[in-house]
Amino acid sequence: MQFESYPFEKLNTLLADIVPDETKEPLALTIGEPQFETPSFIQKALQDSSALLKKYPKTSGEVSTVEAMLAFNKKRFGVELKDEEIIPCFGTREVLFNFPQFLLFDIKDPVMAFTNPFYQIYEGAAIASRAKMILLNLDEQNRFKPTMSKEQMQEADLVILNFPNNPTASTLSLEELGEWVKLSLEYDFVLLNDECYSEIYTNTPPPSLLEAALHVGNKSFKNTLVINSISKRSSAPGLRSGFIAGDADILKRYMQYRTYVGCASPLPLQAASAVAWLDEEHVEASRKIYRRNFEIAKEILGTDIPEASFYIWLKVEDEIAFTKKLYQEHNVKVLPGSYLGRKDENGANPGEGYIRIALVENEIKTRKAMEAIKACLNA
Ligand SMILES: Cc1ncc(COP(=O)(O)O)c(C=O)c1O
């Protein structure tokens, strides 16, 4: 099995021979990892439950963890899920990698479509599933919203969307998501929306695909699934808490598969994640920081403030040359967009000509980084 090397590995190689200006503070806006402390009440819940390490965790999760996730879905999206419509998981990365393998295993020539550029695990999952990949390009022409031809929809077994989107920061409305739900029923493909950034919004909370399913009358969530994660929401990527929710028929079989995968979350992590999923105050405090960072970027670079995520997808002439120059002259690291995308059948990589800037630092560092990017753009 041959996987692509990870974007951060490619970046390390790209910058390996460059000596940056070390009179300047090093700033890395590359990884989508909030650079803030995990709130203390979450850390305390983890410490208080360390005695639970003596027990094996169940694949189905603890009742209190599942209840917290159900309460989150109800409060945030108005979606009342049944117990069999949700599975807690060890962060969402493992689900994104093993769910396609589970789903596509019995299909002879499986076909998987996903947005391009993308979170690298989608491609890894397609490779591990021996699936043909259909790349749904996100570019200026389609306003970073994916489309599929009739033939592609007839062919696809699994379609992964990711809205709010990493890296382009675009969102889909309830109506647009509803159209996707209808297409998944009409053409009979499984539709999964990766909603890891749904809680990092600037003003209006973005809708969930599950809400959209109810909106178009798909009350059993047939063919419809979402994943969500605490990593960005609670500045707690180390807590490894997420869930997959939706179509109960698929999830019933997937639960059985997961007992063999053996990645149930340790009980102390589940106890801490339960309090985190139930609290909204700390998330609003984080949103304030990201909002402020977007305002700083707008003030200095003139970029639009997106509806969600903490990314700026910035157009530059040559993303590789720009990334090198920014590092050499300003000691600031960003990610070349082409590392996050792949060439489509026409040879075009929609990540070319863009850099991804992760606004995950505090206001002071964000300001410094934006000034450096501006200087580099103007040079
Ligand atoms: C789009 C997207 N999906 C999923 C993940 C995985 O998050 P986690 O495994 O922490 O839940 C990430 C992490 O960066 C991401 O950017």
Side-chain angles (χ1 to χ4, degrees):
M1 221 181 284
Q2 183 68 48
F3 297 109
E4 269 280 335
S5 49
Y6 225 63
F8 304 113
E9 251 179 275
K10 290 184 185 171
L11 182 69
N12 288 343
T13 308
L14 179 76
L15 303 181
D17 296 330
I18 297 176
V19 181
D21 179 350
E22 280 172 355
T23 61
K24 295 182 176 149
E25 180 188 11
L27 295 168
L29 305 183
T30 46
I31 187 167
E33 179 186 68
Q35 297 299 303
F36 310 110
E37 293 302 319
T38 302
S40 53
F41 75 96
I42 302 175
Q43 296 193 39
K44 182 161 185 316
L46 178 64
Q47 285 152 8
D48 290 350
S49 54
S50 61
L52 295 172
L53 282 173
K54 70 173 187 184
K55 296 183 79 172
Y56 273 118
K58 293 187 299 247
T59 304
S60 55
E62 291 301 289
V63 171
S64 53
T65 314
V66 176
E67 278 178 354
M69 291 168 173
L70 293 174
F72 163 77
N73 277 287
K74 183 170 175 207
K75 188 170 165 203
R76 170 65 174 83
F77 302 115
V79 175
E80 287 194 56
L81 295 167
K82 303 187 189 89
D83 284 353
E84 59 271 26
E85 288 170 334
I86 192 163
I87 303 177
C89 51
F90 193 68
T92 55
R93 181 182 176 134
E94 54 99 350
V95 173
L96 289 167
F97 187 62
N98 67 45
F99 178 77
Q101 293 177 67
F102 149 79
L103 188 82
L104 302 174
F105 185 80
D106 291 324
I107 298 172
K108 190 163 165 283
D109 295 307
V111 178
M112 180 173 154
F114 51 90
T115 45
N116 181 34
F118 51 84
Y119 177 53
Q120 182 120 348
I121 303 303
Y122 309 160
E123 179 192 57
I127 293 168
S129 309
R130 297 193 179 90
K132 175 182 160 186
M133 295 181 223
I134 297 177
L135 298 172
L136 310 177
N137 284 2
L138 304 177
D139 53 35
E140 243 175 7
Q141 283 82 50
N142 59 28
R143 295 182 301 127
F144 305 101
K145 294 171 191 265
T147 53
M148 277 178 95
S149 69
K150 206 172 159 179
E151 292 70 33
Q152 287 175 324
M153 288 191 285
Q154 277 161 347
E155 214 191 345
D157 301 296
L158 171 64
V159 176
I160 300 187
L161 300 181
N162 168 218
F163 291 94
N165 185 254
N166 167 14
T168 68
S170 73
T171 48
L172 294 185
S173 67
L174 187 70
E175 287 68 30
E176 287 166 328
L177 288 171
E179 287 307 310
W180 275 99
V181 173
K182 287 197 237 165
L183 292 171
S184 77
L185 295 172
E186 186 180 342
Y187 291 91
D188 199 22
F189 57 79
V190 173
L191 179 64
L192 171 76
N193 192 29
D194 175 350
E195 301 185 351
C196 282
Y197 291 91
S198 70
E199 302 317 287
I200 311 298
Y201 54 84
T202 42
N203 285 309
T204 315
S208 165
L209 185 70
L210 295 183
E211 256 179 294
L214 295 180
H215 190 66
V216 297
N218 181 5
K219 297 213 164 44
S220 67
F221 305 115
K222 182 173 165 36
N223 287 358
T224 306
L225 292 158
V226 301
I227 58 148
N228 211 324
S229 166
I230 213 152
S231 300
K232 325 288 174 184
R233 180 182 194 273
S234 296
S235 306
L239 204 48
R240 310 311 301 133
S241 176
F243 61 78
I244 178 166
D247 189 322
D249 286 338
I250 298 174
L251 291 183
K252 187 175 175 202
R253 289 180 285 122
Y254 181 50
M255 177 80 96
Q256 193 176 23
Y257 170 89
R258 287 181 65 80
T259 55
Y260 288 85
V261 176
C263 53
S265 196
L267 296 183
L269 295 189
Q270 287 197 49
S273 72
V275 299
W277 281 108
L278 287 172
D279 184 78
E280 198 54 33
E281 212 174 296
H282 74 288
V283 195
E284 185 45 38
S286 301
R287 279 193 287 266
K288 235 186 213 162
I289 299 174
Y290 297 126
R291 225 175 269 141
R292 181 77 195 115
N293 284 350
F294 276 130
E295 280 163 9
I296 292 169
K298 182 176 181 186
E299 176 198 321
I300 298 172
L301 301 176
T303 45
D304 290 338
I305 297 182
E307 279 178 42
S309 89
F310 43 54
Y311 296 117
I312 295 181
W313 189 235
L314 185 71
K315 221 170 163 177
V316 293
E317 216 164 88
D318 173 341
E319 78 283 359
I320 301 290
F322 187 89
T323 301
K324 286 162 80 173
K325 185 176 160 73
L326 184 67
Y327 180 54
Q328 182 160 26
E329 294 178 6
H330 300 276
N331 212 353
V332 174
K333 288 185 187 173
V334 293
L335 205 55
S338 51
Y339 291 1
L340 296 164
R342 296 289 179 267
K343 286 186 177 159
D344 62 14
E345 69 272 14
N346 302 317
N349 178 341
E352 253 170 44
Y354 288 90
I355 53 164
R356 189 188 78 174
I357 308 169
L359 293 183
V360 289
E361 285 287 2
N362 64 33
E363 189 173 332
I364 297 167
K365 290 186 178 184
T366 301
R367 189 169 282 283
K368 272 191 192 165
M370 295 307 108
E371 295 287 5
I373 291 170
K374 186 180 179 191
C376 214
L377 284 170
N378 290 343

